[in-house]
Structures are given as C-alpha cells and as structure tokens.
Amino acid sequence: MNCWHCDRPAYGSCRFCGRGVCKEHTKTLPHIEELYRDDRGMHKALVVADALWCGVCQPREDPVELPQLK
Ligand SMILES: [Zn+2]
Ligand SMILES: [Zn+2]
C-alpha cells in the first residue's frame, strides 16, 4: 500500500477510511475506540486523541453524543 498523497510506501493506514499514508503525510484526529453505557444508562465513548488520519476523509465531528443509539 502506498501513501494516498505522494505514492511512496505507506507508514500506516487511516483509522477512519483505511487509506495509506506515509509518515510525512500522517495527521491525527480523535477516534472513538469503544462505546458503552454507564451505570445510569448514559452513552459514553472511549476516545483516542491522536488516531492516525489521512487528512482526506472527513470523519464526523463531535462523535460522542449518540442519542438515537439503543
Ligand atoms: Zn505521503
Ligand atoms: Zn481517511
């Protein structure tokens, strides 16, 4: 797999869309690792602050609130 931006060998793949990115073009974004409900039934999310991101795709911002989730 090569970098989406420069076609050199990829350093990793985007956590959100799977595109390859080299070290130079790697960006980071918060990423939800796990969703769960706490003791009071509130939806919570475990978020990694600097997940690998390609810089191309557009993950939804503010992914913590999921009121429709049952
Ligand atoms: Zn690159
Ligand atoms: Zn991406």
Side-chain angles (χ1 to χ4, degrees):
M1 183 165 55
N2 288 344
C3 173
W4 176 264
H5 298 275
C6 63
D7 218 23
R8 284 182 292 188
Y11 173 69
S13 57
C14 175
R15 199 71 188 258
F16 303 92
C17 70
R19 286 182 177 99
V21 277
C22 71
K23 210 164 190 174
E24 187 179 333
H25 290 111
T26 295
K27 298 181 190 300
T28 58
L29 269 188
H31 182 264
I32 295 180
E33 290 296 307
E34 191 177 343
L35 292 169
Y36 64 96
R37 298 175 78 158
D38 68 9
D39 296 342
R40 293 173 298 159
M42 301 284 287
H43 291 288
K44 296 285 183 65
L46 288 177
V47 178
V48 170
D50 59 348
L52 201 159
W53 175 47
C54 65
V56 179
C57 65
Q58 299 188 321
R60 300 269 303 272
E61 289 183 24
D62 192 22
V64 175
E65 289 189 30
L66 293 168
Q68 305 92 338
L69 200 70
K70 291 276 195 286

